[in-house]
Amino acid sequence: MQEVVYHTNYKLENSYWWFVARNQIVKSVLINKTKLPPGTGILDVGCGTGGFAKLISDHFKPICMDTSPIAIEYCKRRGIEQVYLSTLQNFPAGEADFKAITMLDVIEHIEDDKSVVESAFAVLPEGGFFVATVPAYQSLWSKHDEIHQHYRRYSKKKFNSLLENAGFEIKYSTYFNTILFLPAILKRFVDKLTGAEKKKTEPVEEVSPFVNKIFTKMFLFEKNLLKYCSFCFGLSILVVAQKKK
């Protein structure tokens, strides 16, 4: 990712609606769908500035891994003790005790997505879980994807197949960020119609404090629903897979 994305994410990760709700939702799904006990090691691959790792540190033991020195430095600022500047292929798995790998909005940044998923499968212990999120629908490709240097967006079927082909068993799969789906589609249409889409340069779109509060509540409302069901459409995809024994 561009360097500015790390600085922006560190500044906004604890307050901006998308980060706040996404991280809370993934934490809830991680706890409820894996049933891993408190204190379990979780390897957060492509951890970015460590916002998610810090959030789960009250329940799990986060281990941060990223290829960016800037990201690793921010993780240290958050107080994450176990951090690795590494790729999955070179990760010293024997040094860390973990039962799950998380990759939150990471795989779309990697050109060879098949290889990175296979590497995650190889590094995980038997019975371990793989929890990942990716952006949904190639048809929603926008300037946002270009700024964040994405290679693609996914359908749920395509993403499930990617994991299954690597050897994983899908335990739970859903679209999410569903409540705001229609407003987001409308805004993208208007932006393209007016030319505002081409003028975008910032990695995170600024909103007023009031709108930020409303969006946070709307998106976060999905957390309780996803404990009991899955959604058939949304702006993102969330999957829990397992490396069977």
Side-chain angles (χ1 to χ4, degrees):
M1 293 192 297
Q2 298 177 23
E3 183 175 325
V4 66
V5 176
Y6 293 107
H7 300 316
T8 303
N9 288 3
Y10 182 75
K11 180 181 178 181
L12 298 177
E13 209 162 7
N14 292 332
S15 59
Y16 192 74
W17 66 272
W18 186 85
F19 292 114
V20 172
R22 183 206 64 171
N23 289 350
Q24 288 280 3
I25 287 169
V26 176
K27 178 184 178 182
S28 175
V29 167
L30 179 60
I31 292 172
N32 290 288
K33 300 301 182 181
T34 69
K35 306 298 182 184
L36 291 170
T40 299
I42 307 293
L43 177 63
D44 191 17
V45 176
C47 59
T49 63
F52 178 72
K54 184 65 176 180
L55 178 68
I56 66 172
S57 62
D58 65 343
H59 191 89
F60 297 113
K61 180 183 178 182
I63 303 161
C64 285
M65 193 213 84
D66 205 287
T67 58
S68 167
I70 300 171
I72 294 300
E73 184 58 37
Y74 277 134
C75 289
K76 291 178 180 178
R77 289 191 196 181
R78 293 191 191 275
I80 308 299
E81 296 179 358
Q82 204 166 356
V83 297
Y84 292 89
L85 180 63
S86 176
T87 63
L88 258 178
Q89 289 88 342
N90 297 322
F91 180 71
E95 296 181 9
D97 181 18
F98 56 92
K99 296 294 187 294
I101 289 176
T102 55
M103 294 185 73
L104 308 187
D105 294 279
V106 172
I107 297 173
E108 68 273 14
H109 294 274
I110 301 169
E111 186 172 9
D112 188 355
D113 55 353
K114 179 176 180 288
S115 177
V116 75
V117 171
E118 290 174 346
S119 294
F121 184 86
V123 167
L124 259 179
E126 289 188 355
F129 290 92
F130 182 66
V131 180
T133 62
V134 292
Y137 304 122
Q138 189 65 28
S139 61
L140 294 182
W141 185 270
S142 69
K143 188 66 175 295
H144 172 87
D145 295 285
E146 295 172 6
I147 293 171
H148 284 262
Q149 299 180 336
H150 293 172
Y151 281 96
R152 70 198 73 79
R153 301 175 72 95
Y154 293 86
S155 67
K156 190 173 74 168
K157 180 180 180 180
K158 181 178 179 180
F159 192 55
N160 286 352
S161 295
L162 177 69
L163 302 189
E164 289 172 331
N165 290 339
F168 285 108
E169 178 179 329
I170 305 298
K171 307 300 289 186
Y172 176 74
S173 179
T174 184
Y175 288 97
F176 72 119
N177 200 356
T178 299
I179 294 174
L180 291 169
F181 182 82
L182 291 179
I185 297 299
L186 178 60
K187 186 178 187 309
R188 292 189 186 196
F189 174 76
V190 172
D191 284 349
K192 288 183 178 181
L193 195 64
T194 61
E197 171 77 10
K198 295 180 180 179
K199 298 177 183 178
K200 292 181 180 179
T201 58
E202 297 298 321
V204 175
E205 189 165 348
E206 185 176 350
V207 296
S208 70
F210 175 75
V211 171
N212 189 64
K213 184 177 181 179
I214 295 300
F215 280 7
T216 301
K217 288 184 176 181
M218 291 176 70
F219 190 4
L220 199 51
F221 183 72
E222 298 180 12
K223 183 176 77 168
N224 293 326
L225 299 176
L226 290 171
K227 290 180 182 178
Y228 309 107
C229 66
S230 60
F231 299 152
C232 59
F233 66 93
L235 295 168
S236 296
I237 299 164
L238 169 58
V239 173
V240 179
Q242 188 174 25
K243 181 176 179 176
K244 296 295 287 184
K245 295 181 180 179

